[in-house]
Amino acid sequence: MRVVFLGPPGAGKGTQARLLHERFGLAQISTGDILRENLARGTELGKQAEGYMQRGQLVPDDLVIKMIEQELRRVSGGFVMDGFPRTVPQAEALDALLTRRGTPLGAAVLFKIDRPSLVARLSARWTNPRTGRTYNALTNPPKVAGIDDEDGGELIQREDDRSETVEKRLEVYERQTRPLVSYYRKAGKLVEIEAIASMHDVAERIAAALGREHARQ
Ligand code: AMP
């Protein structure tokens, strides 16, 4: 199965992508995680992306598309992308890439969630900067506050999860990413999921919807 996750920041895309990876062995491709890793390592790409990320803006399409091309070279089977595509040119580039490989996209899953819930989720989000794993202080807390259950390392609040940048990221989503909903609807690939529910329930909804899509194709 080849899937992209669509939806505003804080909708639960990263968490659900990790669950799909664990449950079905799909490769998880998170452009946000890859960019943060490049920033931490001080690579050329990291340096080019840093300012945009701090301001809550999108990194330019050409940089992100090149990055995805490289990632896809390492993936031979199914994948789930979370955080890509975020613009129409990115979606077109992905389609072109996958068509060249003869492995078209199966579905684009849209996470539906209201704005107050997003802001609440993002301000309660704690992230492991080494692995990208996230917790929510209210709905999915770690066993020990501030510590990752898995590797025992420290959790942090992402700088761009603070309130001013959150507003900016939501605005960017509405303006630049929302048009992808009609892009994938026209292509007959859009699957809509109500994303306000427990992590487990959302995972079940996604698995059921993807199962139906798979059977249809
Ligand atoms: P995320 O972790 O997905 O919220 O991404 C964090 C930040 O990385 C975003 O606010 C953007 O600055 C950048 N970013 C991640 N994915 C993309 C993308 N597909 N296109 C452009 N910028 C991106």
Side-chain angles (χ1 to χ4, degrees), residues 13 23 39 52 100 103 124 128 138 149 153 159 180 190:
K13 302 185 300 295
R23 192 162 164 187
L39 227 78
Y52 298 101
R100 269 209 304 278
T103 56
N128 179 331
L138 306 172
D149 296 349
E159 224 165 279
L180 290 180
L190 193 72

Side-chain angles (χ1 to χ4, degrees), residues 9 13 30-33 35-36 49 52-54 56-61 64 67 82-87 90 125 158 160 169:
K13 302 185 300 295
S30 160
T31 42
D33 285 350
L35 287 167
R36 278 185 290 280
Y52 298 101
M53 293 174 75
Q54 278 170 353
Q57 295 170 342
L58 294 185
V59 173
D61 285 338
V64 187
M67 199 173 94
D82 93 72
F84 184 94
R86 262 179 156 100
T87 64
Q90 289 182 17
R125 175 155 83 174
R158 270 169 53 177
D160 62 351
R169 286 162 68 209

Side-chain angles (χ1 to χ4, degrees), residues 117-137:
S117 305
L118 287 176
V119 176
R121 280 196 191 188
L122 288 170
S123 50
R125 175 155 83 174
W126 289 82
T127 304
N128 179 331
R130 296 160 299 281
T131 62
R133 181 176 181 144
T134 59
Y135 295 85
N136 184 290

Side-chain angles (χ1 to χ4, degrees), residues 32-159:
D33 285 350
I34 302 168
L35 287 167
R36 278 185 290 280
E37 192 188 303
N38 275 275
L39 227 78
R41 284 195 289 128
T43 66
E44 194 49 41
L45 172 62
K47 283 181 198 142
Q48 286 170 314
E50 186 169 15
Y52 298 101
M53 293 174 75
Q54 278 170 353
R55 291 190 293 273
Q57 295 170 342
L58 294 185
V59 173
D61 285 338
D62 55 338
L63 291 180
V64 187
I65 290 168
K66 224 184 287 160
M67 199 173 94
I68 280 288
E69 269 172 3
Q70 266 172 18
E71 285 300 310
L72 276 177
R73 268 189 222 127
R74 288 194 244 156
V75 174
S76 53
F79 61 76
V80 51
M81 292 188 176
D82 93 72
F84 184 94
R86 262 179 156 100
T87 64
V88 171
Q90 289 182 17
E92 288 169 347
L94 179 63
D95 277 343
L97 253 163
L98 293 177
T99 303
R100 269 209 304 278
R101 287 165 41 128
T103 56
L105 192 69
V109 178
L110 173 65
F111 286 55
K112 289 167 60 175
I113 179 168
D114 63 277
R115 196 180 171 105
S117 305
L118 287 176
V119 176
R121 280 196 191 188
L122 288 170
S123 50
R125 175 155 83 174
W126 289 82
T127 304
N128 179 331
R130 296 160 299 281
T131 62
R133 181 176 181 144
T134 59
Y135 295 85
N136 184 290
L138 306 172
T139 56
N140 172 35
K143 293 194 181 100
V144 179
I147 302 294
D148 189 334
D149 296 349
E150 270 180 354
D151 70 5
E154 201 187 341
L155 299 173
I156 57 151
Q157 270 204 298
R158 270 169 53 177
E159 224 165 279

